[in-house]
Amino acid sequence: VKLVESGGGLVQPGGSLRLSCAASGFTFSSYGMSWFRQAPGKEREGVAAIASDGTTRYADSVKGRFTISQDNAKNTLYLQMDSLKPEDTAMYYCAAAPMKTFLLYRWLLQASKYNYWGQGTQVTVSS
């Protein structure tokens, strides 16, 4: 299993970025997928997740600003981030786990449920 994130960078407050996560080595469409982030000195936080049936979950801090999606034909997960704020600055990670892991949809945002992680991509929001 391999997860490779891309698309991070430096953006001004109010700007947008789209992160991508290229997945390989597993049946993408039967997995729960998510984006987590971790800022220095803080715990890893679930940002957005998508179940194999398309159900999505978002952290309250990003609702209405971030959108998670996936392209099963390309085995790629996306995170569209709009109206970015300085507090969104963090390393962003893609994660995956078999959908059978998630007995409840809210578990999709729990880091402990995931067994596959990417290496991360840095997002910095600053003027």
Side-chain angles (χ1 to χ4, degrees):
V1 172
K2 189 173 183 181
L3 300 170
V4 180
E5 303 95 333
S6 61
L10 173 64
V11 63
Q12 293 186 342
S16 297
L17 280 176
R18 188 176 82 154
L19 305 184
S20 298
C21 173
S24 60
F26 62 98
T27 306
F28 186 76
S29 59
S30 63
Y31 271 57
M33 303 290 297
S34 66
W35 290 96
F36 287 79
R37 67 185 180 187
Q38 189 167 19
K42 294 188 176 181
E43 292 187 356
R44 190 165 294 193
E45 172 191 23
V47 174
I50 186 166
S52 57
D53 64 0
T55 299
T56 57
R57 284 291 182 271
Y58 295 94
D60 288 343
S61 57
V62 306
K63 281 180 182 177
R65 301 189 298 121
F66 291 11
T67 304
I68 190 170
S69 63
Q70 64 185 40
D71 185 331
N72 288 339
K74 295 182 178 180
N75 281 7
T76 302
L77 181 73
Y78 302 100
L79 184 67
Q80 178 66 41
M81 304 186 295
D82 299 318
S83 303
L84 282 161
K85 305 175 181 180
E87 50 264 43
D88 294 318
T89 296
M91 185 71 78
Y92 283 71
Y93 299 91
C94 171
M99 194 58 214
K100 63 184 180 181
T101 304
F102 306 101
L103 299 181
L104 300 172
Y105 284 125
R106 59 185 172 86
W107 289 7
L108 287 162
L109 290 178
Q110 295 181 6
S112 62
K113 300 300 183 185
Y114 289 88
N115 42 0
Y116 301 118
W117 294 85
Q119 83 290 346
T121 186
Q122 178 67 38
V123 172
T124 302
V125 185
S126 175
S127 55

